[in-house]
Amino acid sequence: MNIIGISGLHNSVPFKKKEFPGLSPRHYRIAQGFDSAAALVSTGHIKAAAAEERFSGMKGTGSFPVNSIKYCLESASLSLDAIDYLAHGFAYEPYVSYYDHDEFTQRRYAEVYSREAQKRCIEEHFPATGLADKLIQVPHHLAHAASAFYVSGYDESLILVSDGMGEMHSVTVAIGHRDNTIEILKQIPALHSVGILYGIVTHYLGFDFGLDEYKVMGLAPYGNARVHFNKFKDFVHLKDGGVYTIPVLAADKNLREKETHDGVIAVLAAHFGPPRQPGSGLTQTHRDIAAALQSVLQAAMMHVLWHFKKETALNRLCMAGGVALNCTANGVIRRSRMFKDIFIQPAAGDDGSALGAALYTQHLHDTRSRFAKMAQPLWGPGYAPALIEEFLEKQSRCKATFFHSFDDLAQQIAADLAEGRIVGWFQGRMEFGPRALGNRSILADPRDPGMRDRVNQLIKQREDFRPFAPAVTAEAAARFFAIDAGDEATYAHMLFVTQVRAAYREQLPAVTHVDGSARVQTVSHESNPRFWVLLNEFEKLSGIPVLLNTSFNVRGQPIVRTPEEAMATFLRAGLDILVLDNYVVVRRVNQPEERVEAIDAV
């Protein structure tokens, strides 16, 4: 059985632009259906997955994932005829009555949400193929739940899905059972979405709704949560039964306010002052607001989990949805020791719902199917050495050296890193999800106290307050970071914040945040042998098997997909070295012609 799962709502933003012309680009980010992607599940195995942004260059796009679908087919050498189902991670039909009360909502349903709207998109991009007739619609939160539970390796677990909203809900609590069924226990409606509240405050702070929430998370440790915590606590009311309400969201009274959240923004302005203009300076008030918001989000999540942990007595937890990308909150949950094991699907946002839709559809048609425990989500495009060589031979601005021995290459790059050079690292298949996990990364020495500012300002071209993640060998993780021995695999996908151990904070200034924390990625030989070897070679020179690891892109750009994109970003960002598979690339100095050299194995 071959199933392609997709995410995104192609017409969401075009519809809003038509109905509400003249809004700012930031207001058009306040919509459903971004992060479109496609994933291929074949005979119970995940064969390919990629976000559409990596092909279109439009970060977070919700456009129909035609390029991602084509990639999935090509990667598995399948024709469209071989696809049994096309599963979409939204199903609005059960809620159609909610859209019947006025002409605007009827139009939005017909043009954006309906099954017919999705089939029109499929027909437009794959005409006369019959693919539209294979459409299966999976409720959004079930797709998220499946994306985590089915690849967790757990026989059973509690499942928490939390995001801005699905069709009608913002939180779903469920149980993943031993027979692979997913039983919904409780849902919180989108009218009381902590994810939407977090997005609105993100917008108020001058960042982009639905795109920059991680910036607010990174800003929060610079603030004092106590200054505004009581005000935010008034916004979020914790209730019996493991639920909460957010009455402030009702401040959006009319249609325009619901599309811009100007009603809620006005409430925030009344409490905290005028909204910050994008690009303007950050004040301590902004930092304190971010800190209070983060604390209230964590309180809401812990409230839900404490109740349902007690109710179900389950000691394993799976999480998905955009809120599950809040690494600081995830760290709080982990440190609570409420659950023995926690698994968060690396593409926890809506791109991951494409994978979940495919996995859920597989289960619907084969209830006995079991899925292997996820290691690293390396399901994106990869490039054969011959293609990389062919590309490099055409380059005139750079010199490429080929290493027959990867060990020799790793020794050379480790030495370059130890000498302060910044490296673009491009290996194997691209990661699925928002994190660069060692295949599409920018790497640097974490011991250099000036490295964070250098990478932020000159390379990544982003805000100076934002932290960088440390990648560390799994064997050494518990020595450098507050990770229990045996729990290293939990941190493999860079989704949990923990503390840098006090003895190493001065030695790791470029990856230690202002509060002593770090968003750690553990690397094992099994999960990523090349990255693991590099970390070990760096340890031989520095005494520390830790590297600064950030995504291979610059501001406003998706993570690079191809060697061509890697080269362009290498030149644009001013990186010192580019590693493409076994090739080490540097800028040519006064040499007019390109030449690919080779270094024999020792």
Side-chain angles (χ1 to χ4, degrees):
M1 185 181 300
N2 298 311
I3 303 166
I4 288 180
I6 61 172
S7 60
L9 291 168
H10 179 78
N11 292 323
S12 184
V13 173
F15 175 85
K16 184 166 181 173
K17 288 182 176 179
K18 181 185 69 174
E19 297 284 334
F20 297 91
L23 296 180
S24 71
R26 295 177 66 232
H27 282 129
Y28 290 125
R29 280 290 314 174
I30 302 173
Q32 275 281 86
F34 288 100
D35 297 328
S36 63
L40 171 65
V41 172
S42 182
T43 60
H45 298 280
I46 303 168
K47 297 292 187 180
E52 186 68 9
E53 69 170 21
R54 308 293 173 87
F55 298 88
S56 70
M58 298 176 61
K59 198 167 184 179
T61 183
S63 297
F64 185 77
V66 57
N67 296 297
S68 301
I69 292 172
K70 290 178 178 178
Y71 156 68
C72 287
L73 293 169
E74 291 168 2
S75 70
S77 300
L78 292 175
S79 66
L80 280 173
D81 291 341
I83 300 302
D84 297 289
Y85 301 102
L86 181 69
H88 187 210
F90 280 106
Y92 277 89
E93 269 62 25
Y95 308 102
V96 63
S97 62
Y98 290 88
Y99 295 90
D100 277 342
H101 61 275
D102 63 49
E103 292 183 359
F104 170 78
T105 55
Q106 289 171 1
R107 288 197 302 274
R108 172 169 272 173
Y109 180 84
E111 296 180 33
V112 181
Y113 299 146
S114 69
R115 180 179 180 85
E116 290 71 24
Q118 313 318 315
K119 293 182 72 172
R120 287 194 296 270
C121 285
I122 299 168
E123 281 292 338
E124 177 184 347
H125 293 94
F126 297 99
T129 61
L131 188 62
D133 296 328
K134 300 176 181 179
L135 178 64
I136 299 287
Q137 293 176 288
V138 179
H140 191 65
H141 279 199
L142 275 179
H144 274 312
S147 78
F149 175 61
Y150 287 149
V151 294
S152 66
Y154 302 157
D155 290 333
E156 61 179 359
S157 79
L158 189 67
I159 303 171
L160 175 66
V161 175
S162 182
D163 58 9
M165 64 178 291
E167 295 86 1
M168 297 294 292
H169 299 98
S170 62
V171 168
T172 294
V173 183
I175 296 176
H177 289 290
R178 293 179 182 274
D179 63 358
N180 270 3
T181 57
I182 295 174
E183 175 192 2
I184 294 176
L185 301 179
K186 195 73 176 181
Q187 294 185 298
I188 297 175
L191 293 173
H192 301 287
S193 170
V194 73
I196 288 178
L197 177 63
Y198 206 102
I200 294 172
V201 179
T202 297
H203 184 87
Y204 169 86
L205 289 172
F207 304 114
D208 285 352
F209 182 103
L211 190 65
D212 289 342
E213 283 78 1
Y214 64 96
K215 295 182 182 180
V216 176
M217 181 184 70
L219 182 64
Y222 291 92
N224 181 350
R226 293 188 296 272
V227 174
H228 298 302
F229 182 80
N230 286 337
K231 292 180 182 178
F232 273 94
K233 190 176 178 182
D234 287 341
F235 296 155
V236 181
H237 297 175
L238 306 182
K239 301 290 187 179
D240 292 341
V243 298
Y244 51 78
T245 61
I246 308 181
V248 70
L249 296 182
D252 292 325
K253 301 294 185 182
N254 57 48
L255 188 57
R256 183 182 176 87
E257 287 182 348
K258 291 176 182 178
E259 294 298 317
T260 62
H261 293 305
D262 282 350
V264 182
I265 294 292
V267 174
L268 296 175
H271 281 282
F272 309 116
R276 172 179 172 262
Q277 294 303 306
S280 64
L282 287 161
T283 68
Q284 190 57 43
T285 295
H286 297 137
R287 299 181 184 98
D288 293 341
I289 290 169
L293 173 68
Q294 180 66 34
S295 292
V296 167
L297 171 78
Q298 291 164 188
M301 294 181 72
M302 292 294 289
H303 176 70
V304 174
L305 289 171
W306 276 118
H307 175 85
F308 288 100
K309 160 68 176 178
K310 182 177 180 180
E311 184 175 285
T312 64
L314 292 168
N315 63 2
R316 286 176 167 153
L317 172 67
C318 291
M319 294 174 60
V323 174
L325 291 173
N326 191 299
C327 307
T328 302
N330 298 341
V332 170
I333 296 167
R334 190 69 189 126
R335 290 191 297 276
S336 75
R337 301 186 182 274
M338 196 186 321
F339 297 95
K340 176 184 176 183
D341 297 303
I342 301 176
F343 176 77
I344 302 174
Q345 204 270 106
D350 274 9
D351 49 352
S353 69
L355 172 63
L359 294 173
Y360 190 78
T361 300
Q362 169 82 39
H363 167 70
L364 286 178
H365 292 89
D366 181 6
T367 57
R368 296 172 297 174
S369 62
R370 301 292 293 183
F371 304 96
K373 182 179 180 179
M374 179 189 292
Q376 290 288 23
L378 303 178
W379 304 316
Y383 298 87
L387 291 177
I388 294 175
E389 180 179 4
E390 181 182 357
F391 164 71
L392 288 173
E393 286 177 341
K394 299 175 183 177
Q395 306 307 305
S396 61
R397 299 176 61 183
C398 299
K399 173 184 175 182
T401 301
F402 179 76
F403 284 74
H404 289 286
S405 165
F406 178 77
D407 288 343
D408 291 345
L409 182 150
Q411 290 172 15
Q412 178 62 56
I413 297 304
D416 288 320
L417 288 162
E419 292 174 4
R421 296 181 181 91
I422 300 174
V423 176
W425 183 257
F426 184 105
Q427 298 289 323
R429 295 183 71 175
M430 182 179 70
E431 303 93 335
F432 182 53
R435 310 296 183 210
L437 300 173
N439 280 24
R440 300 291 187 274
S441 292
I442 292 174
L443 306 176
D445 187 344
R447 302 170 301 162
D448 183 344
M451 187 60 74
R452 191 184 76 166
D453 288 343
R454 182 182 168 198
V455 177
N456 262 332
Q457 296 171 12
L458 301 179
I459 308 298
K460 298 285 284 185
Q461 302 162 23
R462 66 184 200 177
E463 297 86 355
D464 61 4
F465 65 82
R466 289 169 57 186
F468 289 107
V472 58
T473 57
E475 296 85 348
R479 175 157 54 103
F480 291 91
F481 304 98
I483 296 174
D484 293 337
D487 197 30
E488 293 86 357
T490 298
Y491 296 80
H493 300 130
M494 207 187 286
L495 286 169
F496 292 83
V497 164
T498 190
Q499 289 289 300
V500 181
R501 295 200 185 277
Y504 293 100
R505 290 178 187 175
E506 290 187 2
Q507 297 183 51
L508 297 170
V511 293
T512 301
H513 205 18
V514 65
D515 60 349
S517 69
R519 177 165 48 92
V520 179
Q521 176 201 358
T522 56
V523 182
S524 68
H525 183 269
E526 294 75 20
S527 65
N528 196 327
R530 287 194 161 208
F531 197 23
W532 182 85
V533 167
L534 179 64
L535 287 163
N536 278 281
E537 290 297 333
F538 185 74
E539 181 183 23
K540 292 176 184 178
L541 299 173
S542 67
I544 296 176
V546 182
L547 286 171
L548 181 157
N549 177 19
T550 188
S551 56
F552 198 161
N553 63 343
V554 293
R555 189 170 188 171
Q557 174 195 22
I559 297 173
V560 301
R561 173 176 58 90
T562 66
E564 292 84 354
E565 292 170 357
M567 178 67 76
T569 303
F570 161 67
L571 294 170
R572 174 185 171 189
L575 300 173
D576 298 305
I577 296 170
L578 171 62
V579 180
L580 294 172
D581 193 58
N582 275 41
Y583 291 88
V584 175
V585 181
V586 296
R587 288 171 184 77
R588 187 178 294 281
V589 179
N590 297 325
Q591 295 186 34
E593 295 181 358
E594 177 64 27
R595 183 175 71 257
V596 175
E597 299 178 350
I599 294 180
D600 293 329
V602 176

